[in-house]
Amino acid sequence: MSTNSKVWVSDLNSRPEIRSAFPRTTVRFYDTTLRDGEQTVGVVLSPQQKLDIARKLDELGVSRIEAGFPRVSPEDAEAIQLMRKANLKAELWGFSRAVKSDIEELVRLGLRASVIEAPVSDIKLKAYGISRDEVLRRVTDAVAFATQNGITVAFFGVDGTRTALDFLKKIYLAALKAGATEIVVVDTIGACGPEAVEFLVREVCQWVGPNTPVHFHGHNDFGMGTACAVAAVRAGASWIQGTINGMGERAGNADIGEIALALRCLYDVPVALDLTKIREVSEVVCKAAGYTLEAWKPLVGENLFMRESGAVATQFHIPEAIEPYSSELVNARRSIVLGKKSGLDSVALKCKELGLTITPEQRAPILAAVKKLAIAKRGLLTDEEFRRIVKELATMPAKA
């Protein structure tokens, strides 16, 4: 493990058989927070909020922003118009079913690129009441119409991970023949583990050839959204689709921040994402969407660089002893917090942070008072509460 960098993960990740399986080319991110992310139950984003989030995504370095599904949402159409005027560096992409009227709306709004989706698994086709032949016809007609109108198309086969491989290959190749230039491998309901994703993405890359970019779009129903996306990159996907904070339907989409962090820190894969901006973007999205995150959530959680445990506080001066990567990497602040589990070193470090002076003899009674108050309030002490304890105990006469 190198202690000269900002990453302190196990050297086992660098073993040749592991590292050589990953590309050295940059992985890029297609963000769908404004479309798939908004499908989180109870979340409604206004056009202005979508513009504000799009600007933050642009600062983050997201290469493509899925701006919405304008055919079914006039508010999405309004948001797209606002985004188009904002001079974003990121490409703006639309979302469309394999339906002519959806594509006509993209043309009206001036979007030059879009995902075109269609159900491809027998389960989904049965639910919609259409045949394989019918969906094949719809896809080829829609893709051809879009490309004739100057729209770059990535074909998005819904529920692709539960689709018979022979039919999945047939419809992907038909979409490419009709004019699509990119393919999305879609795990719509998070039905695959990482090994299955790696197998499927590798198969698809072989079907479509090295000149056709392959995306992976996954969900987190088994808590494997990040692992599956990493597996997709290992298999040849050059684009990862996902959302900020992993928001989305059911258990959410794959979290692009977590994926970027894992690729960079564990596998040394270059990523087109500025990790120093991710926590700020996370906060903006949370505020707009009206939800809160677990304090222990990877990358963006409030607790990641806070230390309450006295045993851990003893090691606080050596970050690599208690953290796998530097707080600087994600622009976070390290801090000591005081509570039931604090120790003597916690008290000393907090005093140093707040500019308070105590004697070595005062540390134990101050710690006892800290623990007593933390248990009584069932939580952490505020800095003001700690200052008050220090002031009270520091002014008490010493025992004879």
Side-chain angles (χ1 to χ4, degrees):
M1 182 192 76
S2 170
T3 57
N4 297 321
S5 71
K6 295 179 181 179
V7 179
W8 310 306
V9 297
S10 169
D11 284 341
L12 295 174
N13 296 295
S14 300
R15 290 182 64 82
E17 65 269 28
I18 296 173
R19 189 60 58 83
S20 64
F22 286 87
R24 301 272 65 87
T25 51
T26 300
V27 172
R28 302 189 183 279
F29 293 91
Y30 176 111
D31 184 90
T32 183
T33 302
L34 303 181
R35 198 274 305 172
D36 216 357
E38 195 187 20
Q39 291 181 213
T40 302
V41 171
V43 171
V44 178
L45 300 173
S46 71
Q48 184 59 49
Q49 285 176 321
K50 288 196 172 190
L51 174 62
D52 293 341
I53 292 170
R55 285 187 168 130
K56 287 297 181 184
L57 292 172
D58 201 41
E59 293 173 10
L60 181 62
V62 164
S63 299
R64 293 175 177 174
I65 298 171
E66 193 170 83
F69 192 176
R71 177 67 177 81
V72 299
S73 171
E75 284 209 328
D76 276 13
E78 182 182 345
I80 288 168
Q81 290 171 324
L82 292 174
M83 286 181 237
R84 288 196 66 230
K85 295 174 183 176
N87 296 317
L88 304 176
K89 296 184 293 293
E91 296 176 15
L92 284 183
W93 280 57
F95 187 86
S96 166
R97 296 164 297 190
V99 175
K100 184 177 180 181
S101 56
D102 285 10
I103 298 163
E104 287 173 335
E105 179 66 359
L106 301 177
V107 173
R108 184 185 74 81
L109 292 168
L111 283 174
R112 310 305 299 168
S114 183
V115 155
I116 291 182
E117 70 149 21
V120 293
S121 70
D122 288 339
I123 298 171
K124 289 288 188 182
L125 293 175
K126 181 179 179 181
Y128 284 110
I130 57 178
S131 66
R132 287 183 174 186
D133 287 344
E134 175 62 16
V135 77
L136 195 62
R137 182 192 64 76
R138 290 186 187 185
V139 167
T140 54
D141 288 352
V143 170
F145 181 71
T147 55
Q148 288 162 11
N149 281 275
I151 294 175
T152 298
V153 174
F155 175 62
F156 187 102
V158 176
D159 206 21
T161 56
R162 296 193 300 172
T163 301
L165 292 181
D166 59 344
F167 183 64
L168 188 64
K169 179 178 181 180
K170 183 176 182 179
I171 199 165
Y172 276 157
L173 296 181
L176 291 175
K177 185 176 181 181
T181 55
E182 303 182 16
I183 290 296
V184 188
V185 175
V186 189
D187 193 15
T188 302
I189 61 169
C192 274
E195 300 83 359
V197 167
E198 184 170 358
F199 166 79
L200 181 57
V201 170
R202 185 167 284 119
E203 286 286 297
V204 172
C205 287
Q206 291 175 353
W207 297 342
V208 303
N211 297 322
T212 300
V214 173
H215 300 225
F216 176 71
H217 176 111
H219 286 255
N220 199 38
D221 293 80
F222 289 93
M224 291 190 176
T226 295
C228 286
V230 168
V233 170
R234 189 164 55 237
S238 54
W239 286 90
I240 295 297
Q241 299 191 359
T243 61
I244 297 298
N245 298 329
M247 64 188 295
E249 286 193 80
R250 303 183 317 278
N253 288 55
D255 184 322
I256 64 169
E258 287 184 16
I259 296 161
L261 183 74
L263 288 171
R264 176 176 170 181
C265 293
L266 295 175
Y267 306 107
D268 198 29
V269 175
V271 293
L273 211 69
D274 183 351
L275 289 172
T276 65
K277 303 283 182 64
I278 190 70
R279 289 171 70 91
E280 179 186 354
V281 178
S282 169
E283 288 180 14
V284 168
V285 172
C286 282
K287 184 176 180 181
Y291 63 80
T292 56
L293 297 173
E294 304 98 331
W296 51 86
K297 182 171 171 58
L299 181 59
V300 297
E302 182 183 357
N303 287 359
L304 300 191
F305 299 98
M306 286 183 179
R307 299 292 172 258
E308 179 189 356
S309 167
V312 176
T314 301
Q315 308 167 64
F316 192 76
H317 61 296
I318 305 178
E320 57 266 34
I322 54 176
E323 293 156 12
Y325 58 89
S326 169
S327 59
E328 296 176 13
L329 190 66
V330 295
N331 196 28
R333 186 175 75 89
R334 300 179 78 233
S335 64
I336 290 290
V337 293
L338 299 178
K340 174 186 174 182
K341 298 176 285 294
S342 295
L344 293 174
D345 284 332
S346 307
V347 169
L349 286 165
K350 179 56 75 170
C351 284
K352 182 178 180 181
E353 177 187 319
L354 298 178
L356 303 175
T357 302
I358 61 172
T359 66
E361 294 76 19
Q362 289 171 329
R363 289 200 300 172
I366 288 172
L367 176 60
V370 165
K371 287 177 175 285
K372 182 178 179 181
L373 180 55
I375 292 169
K377 68 181 291 189
R378 295 282 188 259
L380 298 173
L381 274 67
T382 66
D383 286 350
E384 188 52 44
E385 287 170 334
F386 179 68
R387 285 191 178 97
R388 188 163 60 248
I389 287 173
V390 171
K391 183 178 179 180
E392 290 171 355
L393 294 179
T395 57
M396 289 177 62
K399 292 183 179 180

